[in-house]
Amino acid sequence: MKILKTIEELQNIRKTISSSVGFVPTMGALHDGHISLIKKARIENDIIIVSIFVNPTQFLVGEDLNAYPRREESDKKICELCKVDYLFMPEISSMYTKEEILVKAPNKSYILEGYTRPGHFDGVLQVVLKLFGITQATNGYFGKKDAQQLSLITQMVKNLFIPINIIPCEIVREKDGLAMSSRNIYLDQTQRKEALLLSQSLYSAAALIAKGEKNSKVIKTRINEVMKNLDIEYIAIVDKNFNEINSIELKNTIILIVVRFGNTRLLDNIWL
Ligand code: AMP
């Protein structure tokens, strides 16, 4: 595995590659969720690139940019073990200029995550667009865990005619059901236990739906009951275009939840 710290190095190498390139963008502190994306990319491409870049433009003032977990050495080992060809770790100063061409997420992005974190998706799309430009990847791998992000990136690629296939990847969970996230390390013991209620509430909703319940209100009530003592930010039932729906449409429904544990927000979702 080669570690590339500059954009130029990666661009020069890219010019010499004519086979398929799989790309997995991350913010590091790699866990099994990231690893599943990397493994999928490894199988489906000749060459794979993983990036680690804690992108400042997607953090809002007061968010955890400085505290965001950084584990460079173990991340390198993980990538090496996963047979990554190129690990790209650019400096912030090389990724941004003083006069940026800004990317603006569409109005739809102002719901859910976009509502709570205004500007967050603009920053995500901006950096992902830059990374697509640098890597010129054939296939880009993104987790369904960040469902709204995945949807917006898919839309950006379509609307801006970017020649890359976006490959959605399943959510990877801890054995007890908690969706893996670099931010899980912020949880204390009690919060870690309580956090189990997120996946449990989604499984409970799925069981209700399997029994024939279609009404979104009833399903939200069930989710609320399971998570009753938690600080719920939102529970949303949407179709795959992120329109709220009153009735479950099988194969076209995502149930999304966000719960706060102190300063830590945990996201989870289930695709039905
Ligand atoms: P991050 O480092 O948090 O920006 O995540 C990098 C990529 O990994 C994104 O496409 C995420 O959706 C994906 N990802 C993060 N956690 C998980 C998980 N538990 N399961 C699957 N994909 C994930």
Side-chain angles (χ1 to χ4, degrees):
M1 181 179 82
K2 263 200 172 155
I3 296 170
L4 308 174
K5 296 260 182 183
T6 70
I7 295 168
E8 292 72 26
E9 277 175 286
L10 180 49
Q11 282 178 319
N12 286 335
I13 287 170
R14 182 65 186 92
K15 280 183 203 144
T16 66
I17 305 170
S18 54
S19 46
S20 63
V21 173
F23 174 48
V24 184
T26 81
M27 296 207 297
L30 301 180
H31 50 66
D32 282 353
H34 300 112
I35 291 173
S36 73
L37 271 57
I38 298 172
K39 284 188 171 160
K40 193 166 163 62
R42 181 65 286 169
I43 293 167
E44 296 178 356
N45 301 273
D46 296 313
I47 298 290
I48 64 168
I49 304 171
V50 171
S51 65
I52 295 181
F53 183 65
V54 182
N55 173 40
T57 68
Q58 69 190 69
F59 286 79
L60 271 62
V61 176
E63 287 190 343
D64 57 342
L65 173 61
N66 293 326
Y68 196 82
R70 285 162 172 87
R71 289 196 229 120
E72 217 177 289
E73 286 317 306
S74 72
D75 286 351
K76 284 179 189 165
K77 281 195 191 117
I78 289 171
C79 288
E80 187 104 51
L81 286 171
C82 291
K83 302 200 180 338
V84 170
D85 296 290
Y86 299 105
L87 175 57
F88 180 49
M89 305 173 80
E91 296 292 333
I92 292 173
S93 57
S94 67
M95 288 292 283
Y96 290 102
T97 61
K98 278 198 185 122
E99 290 185 4
E100 279 295 314
I101 303 287
L102 297 175
V103 181
K104 193 107 200 79
N107 282 342
K108 184 64 84 47
S109 73
Y110 291 108
I111 58 166
L112 306 175
E113 286 308 281
Y115 177 75
T116 325
R117 306 180 72 192
H120 165 68
F121 285 126
D122 297 343
V124 170
L125 295 180
Q126 184 185 30
V127 78
V128 169
L129 184 60
K130 283 172 186 268
L131 290 167
F132 285 171
I134 297 166
T135 59
Q136 303 280 307
T138 322
N139 300 305
Y141 294 79
F142 292 86
K144 287 181 169 181
K145 158 108 192 325
D146 300 287
Q148 204 176 352
Q149 167 178 289
L150 169 62
S151 164
L152 285 165
I153 289 170
T154 306
Q155 190 179 350
M156 174 176 77
V157 161
K158 187 163 174 253
N159 291 9
L160 300 184
F161 309 104
I162 304 167
I164 185 170
N165 305 308
I166 300 301
I167 316 288
C169 302
E170 295 306 319
I171 300 175
V172 177
R173 299 177 177 280
E174 301 284 356
K175 278 205 185 82
D176 60 10
L178 178 67
M180 291 200 179
S181 163
S182 305
R183 289 188 167 104
N184 288 350
I185 57 156
Y186 296 148
L187 302 173
D188 65 28
Q189 263 183 354
T190 314
Q191 292 170 330
R192 175 66 183 77
K193 267 192 203 144
E194 289 172 345
L196 282 185
L197 294 174
L198 273 78
S199 55
Q200 282 172 10
S201 74
L202 292 174
Y203 295 149
S204 178
L208 201 60
I209 293 162
K211 279 190 196 146
E213 183 57 66
K214 290 254 169 4
N215 188 318
S216 297
K217 256 194 196 159
V218 176
I219 293 155
K220 280 188 189 176
T221 304
R222 166 65 66 88
I223 294 173
N224 260 307
E225 279 164 9
V226 177
M227 302 199 295
K228 63 177 175 294
N229 293 321
L230 301 188
D231 183 6
I232 300 170
E233 191 176 294
Y234 65 74
I235 301 169
I237 302 186
V238 299
D239 65 18
K240 286 187 183 157
N241 293 319
F242 281 81
N243 298 309
E244 295 240 32
I245 47 177
N246 297 323
S247 180
I248 301 295
E249 301 162 18
L250 287 181
K251 297 205 157 81
N252 186 32
T253 297
I254 313 173
I255 305 179
L256 306 127
I257 54 181
V258 171
V259 175
R260 270 188 293 251
F261 295 89
N263 291 329
T264 308
R265 295 171 77 242
L266 293 190
L267 287 75
D268 202 349
N269 64 66
I270 192 165
W271 298 52
L272 299 160

